[in-house]
Amino acid sequence: MENSKRYEAGMDVMKKLFSEEVRGGMAGMKEISPDFWEMIVSFGFGDTYSREALSLSQKEIITLTALITQGAFDQLKVHLEAALKIGLTKEEITEIIIHCSAYTGFPKAVQAMGIAGEVFNGT
Amino acid sequence: MENSKRYEAGMDVMKKLFSEEVRGGMAGMKEISPDFWEMIVSFGFGDTYSREALSLSQKEIITLTALITQGAFDQLKVHLEAALKIGLTKEEITEIIIHCSAYTGFPKAVQAMGIAGEVFNGT
Amino acid sequence: MENSKRYEAGMDVMKKLFSEEVRGGMAGMKEISPDFWEMIVSFGFGDTYSREALSLSQKEIITLTALITQGAFDQLKVHLEAALKIGLTKEEITEIIIHCSAYTGFPKAVQAMGIAGEVFNGT
Amino acid sequence: MENSKRYEAGMDVMKKLFSEEVRGGMAGMKEISPDFWEMIVSFGFGDTYSREALSLSQKEIITLTALITQGAFDQLKVHLEAALKIGLTKEEITEIIIHCSAYTGFPKAVQAMGIAGEVFNGT
Amino acid sequence: MENSKRYEAGMDVMKKLFSEEVRGGMAGMKEISPDFWEMIVSFGFGDTYSREALSLSQKEIITLTALITQGAFDQLKVHLEAALKIGLTKEEITEIIIHCSAYTGFPKAVQAMGIAGEVFNGT
Amino acid sequence: MENSKRYEAGMDVMKKLFSEEVRGGMAGMKEISPDFWEMIVSFGFGDTYSREALSLSQKEIITLTALITQGAFDQLKVHLEAALKIGLTKEEITEIIIHCSAYTGFPKAVQAMGIAGEVFNGT
């Protein structure tokens, strides 16, 4: 497929995952580096989330786990919101974090659960 | 529940995940530290995998992602085998690794895919 | 031992480590996920800190090192306070961080020492 | 640009970086997952190494540092060979590792220097 | 060389890298632990940055990459400023982060690019 | 103190920690990079292990924890042997690993316990 199709596919997926407000914030990246923004949309969302063998909620389970395991808590909030938006329940999200605790250790799981609590209260 | 129930629940789950041979190898831990073995079974499997809100395959998606993200390739092989045993397809597994690549970087995803290739060939 | 004993053992240890105020903050976790709170107390404190072969101060040395090495600075403050509460001196704590620097690199050690400075000044 | 151009750009860069033998080994990935192979070539090499603002040797400095810092020693050998192939000297490579030691800690730097020693002896 | 020379070498390099204000902030470490401050200056800057086989800008490329890869975003800002001060351009810095994305994954690269944007705007 | 004293202090500590055979293996680093070898001895051992506020066994507890937490299993074996040589018991070592499990997650603790088992059997 052509490159413009990858970008479009990424933008389509981002609409499913994120609110308009969140997408607006993300697009601020365009002003720092238009090329990096293009990569984020085309590769980071287009090439990955638009694939069809896994469901969007399976992909968000992977995303949440990868963010928690590497301690990328700065990005965790928007993906917790995305997880709720595409249909994962609060219970499923707390269970993901509980399962993580055995693999990542408690410090990361505790921090993740605290952020989940904030997201749930804002919902 | 009593502690012996936690241990039993862990052993039950391990039977679903691992072949007899793999479980025999794991039990070698009992001779190094019986207490640590008890924790692995009761907490690492009993308290986590026997919970009911997520399916076993959702839990293996979390486990595989957590192992790949932290570079725990030593444990990856048995969990790739477990993933196949409980019904994830080879295609789903390669898709998990592909989705990880955007979040963990290529070095870890490439190493994971190489190990998946070995597991698939041994199947 | 029964599960309720594990929880009690965890609560007992937490009283030795943390001030009432800190424990109150931690217990906020109960409202997000009662099951995760039970795991934190029973496994994260009961099964580990209540074991007897190592002293509480040896265990806090391990805890501080594990938090610094993984960059879990969010949890570091309360464990620096815990270390002081159970009898590690400020000098011993700065020496732990100095020894870490060779193993974790300077960025993590510098960040840890900065947080230690804040904790020492609040004491 | 079209996607086929990204793939070509990746293949061109891989020829500059790796020997025919190494590229042959890498291409084994194609049989495990053709789609992942396409991503490695098009994104992992095409979109990154074929950019022009940094020189190839600056990019290998980044690559070596990122691999050492995350402990991705499995991939380090081929990139140490690539670094020599594109013109970094043995002295520059040992200096990269020495500089890393302050930022990553000694365990990772020592392991990297050991692998560099093996690569230098094989040269 | 004598130890006092290592300290002097470190102080000289720090003048090249950091503004007077930043150096003043760093020296606050002296009050928490004078010995650790001495190590930071003598080893962390003297023994590493004053070596001659790599240029200062090559060393900052290594430093930025090591910080991004380990998620040490607390230290990233001053080293982004240092990179600009010793002559790396904004374009080169965004390219370093873009190249990192394939090796560290997008979460760390995105966070780094956001901080770079703040530093660029403050320049 | 003069630099030669730092090197001597490092060599003295290494004699306390490692067998002649292990030290011989480590010294192979001298041929790859004499300067890096000097840093390892003078900073990595001299500046850290020869400090007096913590005991050698407290320092090995820190070292083992830092290695396990970052997954530096390549260096773990010699430091497990060092821990035994300076007087930590097998029981204390297994307890260190058990305590780590809550902070680092089970994959790293399991791998560490396996290596400890090998070291104990070789003793």
Side-chain angles (χ1 to χ4, degrees):
Chain A
M1 89 180 136
E2 269 180 67
N3 240 4
S4 63
K5 295 255 172 73
R6 298 171 62 229
Y7 187 85
E8 262 175 60
M11 290 301 276
D12 284 351
V13 158
M14 289 172 82
K15 272 177 208 159
K16 289 183 197 153
L17 295 172
F18 307 121
S19 70
E20 203 178 326
E21 195 195 335
V22 166
R23 276 177 286 135
M26 286 176 166
M29 195 57 78
K30 232 185 306 193
E31 273 145 67
I32 311 174
S33 169
D35 283 12
F36 189 51
W37 172 250
E38 198 279 337
M39 281 182 176
I40 292 170
V41 178
S42 299
F43 178 75
F45 291 100
D47 287 351
T48 55
Y49 285 89
S50 68
R51 295 177 68 81
E52 285 171 11
L54 299 175
S55 68
L56 262 190
S57 61
Q58 285 176 309
K59 282 173 197 157
E60 270 303 336
I61 293 177
I62 298 169
T63 301
L64 293 174
T65 305
L67 293 175
I68 294 168
T69 309
Q70 68 185 280
F73 298 112
D74 220 59
Q75 273 90 358
L76 189 60
K77 191 167 173 281
V78 293
H79 276 288
L80 285 166
E81 290 167 353
L84 291 169
K85 190 163 184 300
I86 61 161
L88 282 165
T89 65
K90 291 180 188 183
E91 191 194 5
E92 285 171 316
I93 288 171
T94 57
E95 293 291 324
I96 292 167
I97 298 172
I98 285 172
H99 194 76
C100 276
S101 71
Y103 289 94
T104 69
F106 276 85
K108 285 169 180 164
V110 164
Q111 193 163 349
M113 195 68 91
I115 298 170
E118 290 168 23
V119 170
F120 295 166
N121 282 334
T123 305
Chain B
M1 84 179 138
E2 269 180 67
N3 239 6
S4 62
K5 294 254 173 74
R6 297 171 62 231
Y7 187 84
E8 262 175 60
M11 290 301 275
D12 284 350
V13 157
M14 289 171 82
K15 273 177 208 160
K16 287 182 199 153
L17 294 172
F18 306 120
S19 69
E20 204 179 327
E21 195 195 334
V22 166
R23 276 177 287 133
M26 287 176 166
M29 194 57 80
K30 233 186 303 193
E31 272 145 65
I32 311 175
S33 169
D35 283 13
F36 189 51
W37 172 250
E38 198 279 338
M39 280 182 176
I40 292 170
V41 178
S42 298
F43 178 75
F45 291 100
D47 287 352
T48 55
Y49 285 90
S50 68
R51 295 177 68 82
E52 285 171 10
L54 299 176
S55 67
L56 261 190
S57 61
Q58 285 176 309
K59 283 173 196 156
E60 270 302 335
I61 292 177
I62 298 169
T63 301
L64 293 174
T65 305
L67 293 176
I68 294 168
T69 309
Q70 69 186 279
F73 298 112
D74 219 60
Q75 273 90 357
L76 188 60
K77 191 167 172 280
V78 294
H79 276 288
L80 286 167
E81 290 167 352
L84 291 170
K85 192 164 183 299
I86 60 161
L88 283 165
T89 65
K90 291 180 190 184
E91 192 195 3
E92 285 171 316
I93 288 171
T94 57
E95 293 292 324
I96 292 166
I97 299 172
I98 285 172
H99 195 75
C100 276
S101 71
Y103 289 94
T104 69
F106 276 85
K108 285 169 180 164
V110 164
Q111 193 163 350
M113 195 68 91
I115 297 170
E118 290 168 22
V119 170
F120 295 167
N121 282 335
T123 305
Chain C
M1 83 179 141
E2 270 179 67
N3 240 4
S4 63
K5 294 256 172 74
R6 296 171 64 229
Y7 188 84
E8 262 175 60
M11 290 301 274
D12 284 350
V13 157
M14 289 173 82
K15 273 177 206 157
K16 288 182 197 152
L17 293 172
F18 306 121
S19 69
E20 204 177 327
E21 195 196 334
V22 167
R23 277 177 286 134
M26 286 175 168
M29 194 59 77
K30 236 185 303 194
E31 274 145 65
I32 311 174
S33 168
D35 283 12
F36 189 51
W37 172 250
E38 198 279 338
M39 280 183 176
I40 291 170
V41 177
S42 298
F43 178 76
F45 291 100
D47 288 351
T48 56
Y49 285 90
S50 69
R51 295 177 68 81
E52 284 171 11
L54 298 176
S55 68
L56 261 190
S57 61
Q58 285 176 310
K59 283 173 196 154
E60 270 303 337
I61 293 177
I62 298 169
T63 301
L64 293 175
T65 305
L67 292 175
I68 294 168
T69 308
Q70 70 186 278
F73 297 113
D74 219 60
Q75 273 90 359
L76 189 60
K77 191 167 173 279
V78 294
H79 276 288
L80 285 167
E81 290 167 353
L84 291 169
K85 191 163 182 300
I86 61 160
L88 282 166
T89 65
K90 292 182 188 181
E91 192 196 3
E92 286 172 314
I93 288 170
T94 57
E95 293 290 324
I96 292 166
I97 299 172
I98 285 173
H99 195 75
C100 277
S101 72
Y103 289 93
T104 68
F106 276 85
K108 285 169 180 165
V110 163
Q111 193 163 349
M113 194 69 90
I115 297 170
E118 289 168 23
V119 170
F120 295 167
N121 283 334
T123 305
Chain D
M1 83 179 140
E2 267 180 68
N3 240 5
S4 63
K5 294 256 172 73
R6 296 171 64 231
Y7 187 84
E8 261 173 61
M11 289 300 274
D12 284 350
V13 157
M14 289 172 83
K15 274 177 207 160
K16 288 182 198 153
L17 294 172
F18 306 122
S19 69
E20 204 178 327
E21 196 195 334
V22 166
R23 277 177 286 134
M26 287 176 167
M29 195 58 79
K30 235 185 301 192
E31 272 145 66
I32 311 174
S33 169
D35 283 13
F36 189 50
W37 172 250
E38 199 278 337
M39 280 181 176
I40 292 170
V41 177
S42 298
F43 178 74
F45 291 101
D47 287 351
T48 56
Y49 285 90
S50 68
R51 295 176 69 81
E52 284 171 10
L54 299 175
S55 67
L56 261 190
S57 61
Q58 285 176 310
K59 282 173 196 155
E60 271 302 337
I61 292 177
I62 298 168
T63 302
L64 293 174
T65 304
L67 293 175
I68 294 168
T69 308
Q70 70 186 278
F73 297 112
D74 219 60
Q75 274 89 357
L76 189 60
K77 192 168 171 278
V78 294
H79 276 289
L80 286 167
E81 290 168 353
L84 291 170
K85 190 163 184 300
I86 61 161
L88 283 165
T89 64
K90 291 181 188 182
E91 192 194 3
E92 286 171 316
I93 289 171
T94 56
E95 293 292 323
I96 292 166
I97 299 172
I98 285 173
H99 195 76
C100 276
S101 71
Y103 288 93
T104 67
F106 276 86
K108 285 169 180 166
V110 163
Q111 193 163 349
M113 195 68 90
I115 297 170
E118 289 169 22
V119 170
F120 295 167
N121 282 334
T123 304
Chain E
M1 86 179 138
E2 270 179 66
N3 240 4
S4 63
K5 294 254 172 73
R6 296 169 64 228
Y7 188 84
E8 262 174 60
M11 290 300 275
D12 284 350
V13 157
M14 290 171 80
K15 274 177 206 158
K16 288 182 197 152
L17 294 172
F18 306 121
S19 70
E20 203 177 329
E21 195 195 335
V22 167
R23 276 177 287 134
M26 286 176 166
M29 195 56 79
K30 231 184 308 193
E31 272 145 65
I32 312 174
S33 169
D35 283 12
F36 189 50
W37 172 250
E38 197 280 338
M39 279 182 177
I40 291 170
V41 178
S42 298
F43 179 75
F45 291 101
D47 288 352
T48 55
Y49 285 91
S50 68
R51 295 178 69 81
E52 286 173 9
L54 298 175
S55 68
L56 262 189
S57 61
Q58 285 177 310
K59 283 173 195 154
E60 271 302 338
I61 292 177
I62 297 170
T63 301
L64 293 175
T65 305
L67 293 174
I68 294 167
T69 309
Q70 69 186 279
F73 297 112
D74 217 61
Q75 274 90 359
L76 189 61
K77 191 167 171 281
V78 294
H79 276 289
L80 285 167
E81 290 167 351
L84 290 170
K85 191 164 183 299
I86 61 160
L88 283 165
T89 64
K90 292 181 188 183
E91 191 195 4
E92 285 171 316
I93 289 171
T94 56
E95 292 292 324
I96 292 167
I97 299 171
I98 285 173
H99 195 76
C100 277
S101 71
Y103 289 93
T104 69
F106 276 86
K108 285 170 181 164
V110 164
Q111 193 164 349
M113 195 68 90
I115 297 170
E118 290 169 21
V119 170
F120 295 167
N121 283 334
T123 306
Chain F
M1 89 178 136
E2 269 180 66
N3 240 6
S4 63
K5 294 255 172 73
R6 297 170 63 230
Y7 187 84
E8 262 175 60
M11 289 300 275
D12 284 351
V13 156
M14 289 171 82
K15 274 178 205 157
K16 288 182 196 151
L17 295 172
F18 305 121
S19 70
E20 204 179 326
E21 195 195 334
V22 166
R23 276 177 286 133
M26 287 175 167
M29 195 56 80
K30 233 185 305 193
E31 273 145 65
I32 310 174
S33 169
D35 283 13
F36 189 51
W37 172 250
E38 198 280 338
M39 279 182 177
I40 292 170
V41 178
S42 298
F43 178 75
F45 291 100
D47 288 352
T48 54
Y49 285 90
S50 68
R51 295 177 68 82
E52 285 172 8
L54 299 175
S55 67
L56 262 189
S57 62
Q58 285 176 311
K59 283 173 196 154
E60 271 302 337
I61 292 177
I62 298 169
T63 301
L64 293 174
T65 305
L67 292 176
I68 294 167
T69 309
Q70 67 186 280
F73 298 112
D74 218 60
Q75 273 89 358
L76 189 61
K77 191 167 171 278
V78 294
H79 275 289
L80 286 167
E81 290 168 352
L84 291 170
K85 190 164 184 298
I86 61 161
L88 284 165
T89 64
K90 290 180 189 184
E91 191 194 4
E92 286 171 315
I93 289 171
T94 56
E95 292 291 325
I96 292 167
I97 298 172
I98 285 173
H99 194 75
C100 277
S101 71
Y103 288 94
T104 68
F106 276 86
K108 285 170 180 165
V110 164
Q111 192 163 349
M113 195 67 92
I115 297 170
E118 290 169 21
V119 170
F120 295 168
N121 283 334
T123 304

